[in-house]
Amino acid sequence: MSAYELRKNALVKAATGEKREIEYPRKADGSPKYPSEIYGENVFTLKTMAKALPKPIFSSFLKQRRGRQNLDKTTADSIAHAVRVWAMDRGATHYTHWFQPQTGATAEKHDAFLSLLSSFTPGGEEVTPIDQFSGSQLLQSEPDASSFPSGGMRTTFEARGYTIWDTSSSMFVQRGPNGTSILYIPSVFISYNGDALDEKTGLLRSNEVLSRAAAELVNLLEPDAHVAHVYTTLGTEQEFFLVDRTMYALRPDLKITGRTLVGQLPPRHQQLEDHYFGRIPSRVMRAISELELECLRLGIPIKTRHNEVAPAQFEVAPIFEEASVAVDHNLLTMDVLHKVAHRHNLRVLYHEKPFKGVNGSGKHCNWAVATDRGENLLDPTVRPETNFRFLVFLLAVLRALQEHAPLLRAAISSSSNEHRLGAQEAPPAIISAFLGDQLNEVLDAIDEDRPLKNFSVPQFQTIKVGGTVLDVKVAGLPHIARDLTDRNRTSPFAFTGNKFEFRAVGSKQSPSFPVTVLNCAVTAAITEIVADLRAQMGSKPAPSDDDTLAVIRKYIRLTRPVRFEGDNYSDAWVTEAARRGLPNIRTAPEAFTYLLKDKHLAMLTTDTGIFSHGELMSRYHILNERYAKDVIIEAETLKTIVGQQILPAALEYRKSLAESAAALKAVGVEAAPEVQVLNELAPLVVALQAEHTKLAAAVQKLIDHESDDSNKHAQAACDSVAPAIAATRDAADALETAVADKYWPLPKYTELLLTI
């Protein structure tokens, strides 16, 4: 069957195939269950654990969870028994330590609960099957550490590594094959020497150091607060594309690299601005509804679903949670969506830029900090100008951006995210913060020691302290509350009412490392502010308002350069940012070098203690190696597609035209149209052949001359191979418009984006 026939069959199957429907859970009386009744039913929550364990055992576990004592064998064995019974009652036959290696994904190895007891009698060995799960099996497992990215920390002859149960994240069961299920144990991953080999360990460490620093600052500002713990909260808006799975199977570039390496936009794509918040296609709605049901059972609070800007692009977003749990839930959501999409003959694409020319996908990380009393420290309240606690924490975040923006740029850098940054509503590479007119006015008024300006517009608004109310001047419509700030979708780091939205994070990457770096940078800034406050207050038991205002004014002035309210896409901002001294880091390999700059390295290692020097070097090498490997894989894939599919198709079409023209001339019929098409086609084929040759040479040179310096290797891939990929793509895309559709070997953008 020809490629053209495969494409057409895929279109027919997409239009006429069987539609998957599932039944929503119902109560005994037949009425549908409320979401709150389903929520967390497959999670071994603290409440479930408390019911299953004796009170002294549960109390001992809570003390361990709070870091007050180690988990003893009796407690571990009791929890292991309780969770095994609970899981097996839900069909579990296996368990797995579920962890986050530095691959951007999760990893798991399944072990059966089944065990055998052997005894020997005069008649021979007798085997008794039992279901067993011990405390030691719960606490740790032993994967091969050398088979995961380690940046040289583990090799084949020193391969031992450990996964260790993360007691801060609840265990859960997921559906497995043939009506069974699997018990998942959220874990960290370390080497034999105790070095972190995963994404999660650093995040947990950063949450702790930020908690200590933030609690010290709150208690210094408010001595009667008695805050013992400060939590980092996170909400991850997950963007993605969904395409027909049969179409996907016919695109080797999507299967191998996650993005299309060739392809022209259809005449209609996103330019009419009618997809965003439009009607969700019925097949997609069924899939996302099933995703939400699965997530409800797993205790993942999905709140929002909607169409995104590009055709076939969508978003789901959860309610905010504690940061490490939110990261677990985001990665689990991605995994569940992958499985659910498959059931609906769809394929989910998490690549940041799977289609050239339309919006890419991000993972907007909404970040805040809250006390153990439930108070959001980034809530401006109705009078932010007198809320010193809010102002100090706001300025701590701005100071973190000012001092360590290159680290945040490094934390979100990858070969895939490079295609997205700075285009189609993705934030640019210059890290700045958007606060909005009112908060900027608050800071400026404090700095200049003057009254606040009035933000009311008499004809349309009435002023409200800390915000405004909008009157739309239609009698039948209510007045609505207007937020303290507008939204700036060009900003990489925007304040959005009571949190910061870190918009630059890529859709397929784990949020762990970006949030870890942000936590560390804010911790360093808080530590600096605490030192200044103590110096300002001298021997007084607490800082006076004048002391606090003096420090606030200092940091307002220091952080002014990182505040920007305008269009981050404009050329004028590039010039202005340079004048302000803000770094414009244009490539991922350049960004990675900042991990080892003295100031940033010290902050991540000796100052906060989040990473050892070896752990940070490991991450540096992994990031560089992954970048170079991704580029090489793309180059090799494109080389194969062009050489084995596109050029042969173009030559076949050219041959058909030539034979047609010759046949027409042989019978005395004018062949000018065929000859004209041939003349237009020929230079395009020659151009693609030339670029294909250059691409092959560039990637072979990179492979043959691999540098021992991982950053130089990544930079070479960026400088030589990535441009060759782009040039080859341009030549192939030009040819796509010239070759007759029946000869084209790959599903086109029209079929991929508009067939769901």
Side-chain angles (χ1 to χ4, degrees):
M1 188 179 293
S2 69
Y4 178 73
E5 290 172 320
L6 288 171
R7 288 166 51 201
K8 296 309 173 189
N9 287 345
L11 284 172
V12 172
K13 182 179 179 181
T16 62
E18 183 179 345
K19 306 296 187 288
R20 173 181 169 82
E21 297 280 357
I22 62 167
E23 183 159 351
Y24 194 80
R26 295 186 174 274
K27 302 176 186 177
D29 63 3
S31 61
K33 286 186 175 182
Y34 293 173
S36 58
E37 295 175 304
I38 305 167
Y39 183 79
E41 67 181 22
N42 287 343
V43 182
F44 193 64
T45 61
L46 283 177
K47 186 181 293 186
T48 304
M49 185 185 291
K51 291 179 180 178
L53 295 175
K55 285 186 178 179
I57 296 291
F58 183 65
S59 177
S60 175
F61 171 71
L62 289 182
K63 290 177 181 177
Q64 179 278 328
R65 204 169 188 241
R66 295 172 187 142
R68 295 178 183 173
Q69 68 179 41
N70 292 326
L71 196 64
D72 60 84
K73 185 178 185 303
T74 301
T75 303
D77 284 339
S78 299
I79 295 172
H81 173 77
V83 76
R84 178 186 63 78
V85 172
W86 173 86
M88 293 189 71
D89 286 345
R90 286 156 179 77
T93 57
H94 290 70
Y95 66 92
T96 179
H97 285 80
W98 181 66
F99 60 102
Q100 303 170 24
Q102 294 177 70
T103 58
T106 58
E108 55 194 69
K109 178 190 74 169
H110 300 175
D111 289 303
F113 288 123
L114 178 66
S115 188
L116 299 178
L117 288 180
S118 296
S119 60
F120 292 89
T121 67
E125 182 184 15
E126 290 189 3
V127 175
T128 304
I130 62 169
D131 297 305
Q132 188 178 54
F133 186 48
S134 68
S136 60
Q137 289 172 313
L138 167 63
L139 291 179
Q140 71 180 66
S141 183
E142 188 180 322
D144 176 6
S146 69
S147 296
F148 293 98
S150 69
M153 298 188 78
R154 295 277 85 188
T155 60
T156 307
F157 67 88
E158 46 181 10
R160 194 181 299 277
Y162 300 108
T163 51
I164 303 172
W165 174 32
D166 169 22
T167 57
S168 68
S169 189
S170 297
M171 293 178 276
F172 57 92
V173 293
Q174 270 207 93
R175 183 167 64 175
N178 306 316
T180 66
S181 42
I182 302 145
L183 173 65
Y184 281 73
I185 306 165
S187 304
V188 299
F189 179 37
I190 63 171
S191 74
Y192 179 69
N193 298 320
D195 296 311
L197 297 176
D198 65 341
E199 301 276 20
K200 193 177 192 181
T201 302
L203 176 61
L204 294 173
R205 291 172 182 169
S206 72
N207 286 341
E208 289 191 6
V209 298
L210 178 57
S211 173
R212 289 195 295 269
E216 180 184 3
L217 178 54
V218 172
N219 292 325
L220 180 62
L221 292 170
E222 302 172 2
D224 295 331
H226 304 300
V227 169
H229 197 92
V230 172
Y231 296 91
T232 309
T233 63
L234 186 67
T236 53
E237 302 172 28
Q238 180 67 57
E239 296 175 343
F240 55 91
F241 283 80
L242 284 170
V243 298
D244 183 81
R245 189 156 56 92
T246 309
M247 292 291 183
Y248 167 87
L250 298 174
R251 289 289 307 219
D253 48 358
L254 276 178
K255 291 169 68 176
I256 297 171
T257 72
R259 76 177 180 110
T260 54
L261 298 175
V262 294
Q264 285 273 28
L265 282 174
R268 174 181 172 179
H269 43 92
Q270 67 182 42
Q271 70 270 51
L272 295 180
E273 301 175 327
D274 58 348
H275 191 258
Y276 188 61
F277 279 27
R279 183 187 64 82
I280 300 175
S282 57
R283 180 159 52 144
V284 173
M285 179 68 92
R286 288 193 295 271
I288 293 181
S289 178
E290 186 171 347
L291 163 74
E292 291 172 331
L293 179 57
E294 297 265 355
C295 287
L296 273 176
R297 290 171 169 148
L298 292 168
I300 303 173
I302 298 293
K303 181 73 171 177
T304 302
R305 64 189 182 202
H306 65 82
N307 285 3
E308 260 299 335
V309 172
Q313 188 186 30
F314 308 93
E315 178 184 298
V316 293
I319 299 170
F320 292 14
E321 301 175 281
E322 191 277 325
S324 64
V325 174
V327 169
D328 280 359
H329 282 171
N330 173 252
L331 297 175
L332 186 54
T333 299
M334 294 171 71
D335 180 60
V336 172
L337 178 55
H338 172 82
K339 296 173 184 175
V340 169
H342 188 89
R343 298 171 200 157
H344 291 263
N345 200 38
L346 293 167
R347 177 71 185 199
V348 61
L349 305 177
Y350 290 121
H351 193 287
E352 286 81 1
K353 198 74 168 179
F355 300 102
K356 182 180 178 182
V358 296
N359 272 27
S361 297
K363 193 193 304 277
H364 302 169
C365 290
N366 295 275
W367 179 95
V369 281
T371 70
D372 49 13
R373 300 182 303 187
E375 296 171 314
N376 182 353
L377 296 173
L378 289 177
D379 181 1
T381 64
V382 295
R383 292 188 63 84
E385 64 273 20
T386 60
N387 187 341
F388 291 169
R389 187 182 68 183
F390 160 73
L391 291 172
V392 168
F393 274 92
L394 177 74
L395 291 166
V397 177
L398 296 181
R399 181 63 170 169
L401 260 64
Q402 181 195 29
E403 287 291 284
H404 299 291
L407 283 184
L408 294 174
R409 174 68 172 90
I412 54 90
S413 293
S414 65
S415 65
S416 53
N417 210 18
E418 295 297 273
H419 296 289
R420 164 181 169 261
L421 294 177
Q424 277 88 31
E425 292 196 357
I430 303 169
I431 302 293
S432 64
F434 168 82
L435 298 183
D437 291 341
Q438 293 194 45
L439 279 184
N440 269 295
E441 167 60 16
V442 167
L443 297 185
D444 291 344
I446 292 172
D447 182 27
E448 297 164 15
D449 196 18
R450 60 169 173 77
L452 285 172
K453 293 177 182 176
N454 191 322
F455 277 85
S456 65
V457 179
Q459 287 82 3
F460 299 99
Q461 303 171 16
T462 58
I463 191 69
K464 169 190 169 187
V465 179
T468 56
V469 174
L470 291 181
D471 179 1
V472 294
K473 294 299 178 184
V474 177
L477 295 179
H479 291 192
I480 62 168
R482 187 174 80 160
D483 289 321
L484 193 65
T485 64
D486 200 347
R487 292 193 70 187
N488 185 338
R489 299 191 67 175
T490 72
S491 175
F493 205 86
F495 187 76
T496 55
N498 60 2
K499 63 190 181 298
F500 276 97
E501 184 179 16
F502 192 8
R503 296 177 53 84
V505 180
S507 54
K508 77 173 184 178
Q509 76 176 116
S510 166
S512 287
F513 190 51
V515 175
T516 297
V517 170
L518 177 58
N519 286 351
C520 292
V522 173
T523 298
I526 289 173
T527 302
E528 182 183 1
I529 290 173
V530 166
D532 282 349
L533 273 171
R534 292 195 183 281
Q536 184 71 31
M537 62 189 266
S539 59
K540 287 179 285 192
S544 65
D545 286 353
D546 288 341
D547 294 333
T548 305
L549 268 175
V551 173
I552 286 173
R553 286 194 178 99
K554 173 184 176 179
Y555 283 92
I556 289 174
R557 292 161 190 163
L558 283 174
T559 60
R560 187 179 297 277
V562 84
R563 290 156 45 197
F564 181 63
E565 305 302 302
D567 182 0
N568 285 254
Y569 295 160
S570 68
D571 292 336
W573 169 232
V574 175
T575 303
E576 172 62 16
R579 187 191 67 79
R580 297 185 184 191
L582 301 181
N584 184 6
I585 304 169
R586 299 179 183 276
T587 68
E590 180 189 355
F592 299 150
T593 64
Y594 283 87
L595 290 168
L596 304 187
K597 302 285 187 185
D598 289 346
K599 178 172 74 171
H600 307 306
L601 186 148
M603 188 274 289
L604 290 171
T605 56
T606 55
D607 293 351
T608 60
I610 301 304
F611 298 111
S612 68
H613 187 271
E615 288 171 339
L616 191 60
M617 287 297 296
S618 164
R619 278 155 177 74
Y620 169 77
H621 289 306
I622 289 169
L623 289 168
N624 281 293
E625 289 167 2
R626 178 62 184 266
Y627 181 93
K629 288 175 181 177
D630 282 346
V631 172
I632 290 171
I633 290 169
E634 287 192 356
E636 294 283 12
T637 303
L638 181 57
K639 185 178 72 172
T640 301
I641 290 173
V642 170
Q644 297 184 9
Q645 291 184 273
I646 295 177
L647 278 174
L651 295 175
E652 182 68 21
Y653 178 49
R654 188 170 70 168
K655 176 185 174 185
S656 173
L657 286 171
E659 290 175 347
S660 176
L664 289 170
K665 287 181 180 179
V667 296
V669 176
E670 177 60 54
E674 287 81 359
V675 172
Q676 180 181 343
V677 174
L678 271 170
N679 289 334
E680 292 171 352
L681 186 65
L684 298 177
V685 174
V686 171
L688 179 57
Q689 179 69 60
E691 295 300 341
H692 179 254
T693 302
K694 292 177 186 176
L695 173 64
V699 71
Q700 194 59 51
K701 181 179 178 182
L702 182 67
I703 293 171
D704 291 343
H705 298 88
E706 181 175 351
S707 172
D708 292 335
D709 184 325
S710 60
N711 186 253
K712 287 183 179 178
H713 189 53
Q715 192 64 59
C718 178
D719 293 341
S720 60
V721 179
I725 291 172
T728 305
R729 180 193 183 124
D730 289 343
D733 289 352
L735 196 59
E736 180 183 324
T737 61
V739 172
D741 185 58
K742 65 177 292 185
Y743 290 91
W744 197 252
L746 303 168
K748 296 183 176 181
Y749 272 25
T750 301
E751 296 153 348
L752 288 165
L753 292 172
L754 306 177
T755 309
I756 51 170

